Amino acid sequence: MKLKMIKKLFLLGLLFLNLNSCSESKKSTSDFKFEKGESSLELKIVNGNDYLTYNKPIRTDFKLENIDPNTLSIFGAGIKILTIENGITKTEINVPDNYLESDTLNIKLRFEINGKETKTEFNVPIKREQ
């Protein structure tokens, strides 16, 4: 009887660890990614958050795969391009409080894939610092 109970607890523990590892891997994927064929563009907020903060300069990277960085145009409030190196456009975003109508920064991107103009946009939440 005790052996059956130990087996059930062991299996329950394995199930819990398996489910927990699945949820952790999902957190590491980005909500701000565009993919088309072998080309992709991803916005990464360097501090690891999935949101920006009002009145605070935050480093962001736009990582390009199979997209010429010279064709990339970025449009949005408070975005400053710092450098472009190794397929990564490093930027800083600083949105003033009360500048936007909603607490979402709409970032519009235009670039070329195989000579064809492509557009996408990311809607990044902005929070007030607590």
Side-chain angles (χ1 to χ4, degrees), residues 59-129:
R59 271 279 323 281
T60 54
D61 291 343
F62 290 87
K63 183 179 179 195
L64 298 111
E65 292 286 333
N66 298 317
I67 297 173
D68 181 359
N70 295 322
T71 66
L72 177 64
S73 297
I74 304 170
F75 306 96
I79 300 173
K80 179 169 94 173
I81 295 177
L82 302 174
T83 62
I84 301 170
E85 53 190 51
N86 301 324
I88 298 174
T89 301
K90 297 180 181 203
T91 64
E92 183 179 85
I93 302 177
N94 187 7
V95 180
D97 198 12
N98 300 321
Y99 186 79
L100 303 173
E101 290 180 17
S102 68
D103 290 334
T104 302
L105 176 61
N106 181 266
I107 301 174
K108 296 183 185 223
L109 302 140
R110 187 173 60 211
F111 48 93
E112 290 182 11
I113 297 177
N114 299 324
K116 186 174 181 181
E117 185 176 296
T118 306
K119 297 177 184 178
T120 192
E121 61 184 62
F122 299 134
N123 294 309
V124 184
I126 304 178
K127 298 183 178 183
R128 285 168 178 50
E129 197 163 37

Side-chain angles (χ1 to χ4, degrees), residues 30-34 41-43 45 50-51 122-125:
S30 173
D31 292 333
F32 311 115
K33 187 168 189 174
F34 169 87
L41 186 151
E42 182 176 14
L43 165 65
I45 301 172
D50 59 352
Y51 61 89
F122 299 134
N123 294 309
V124 184

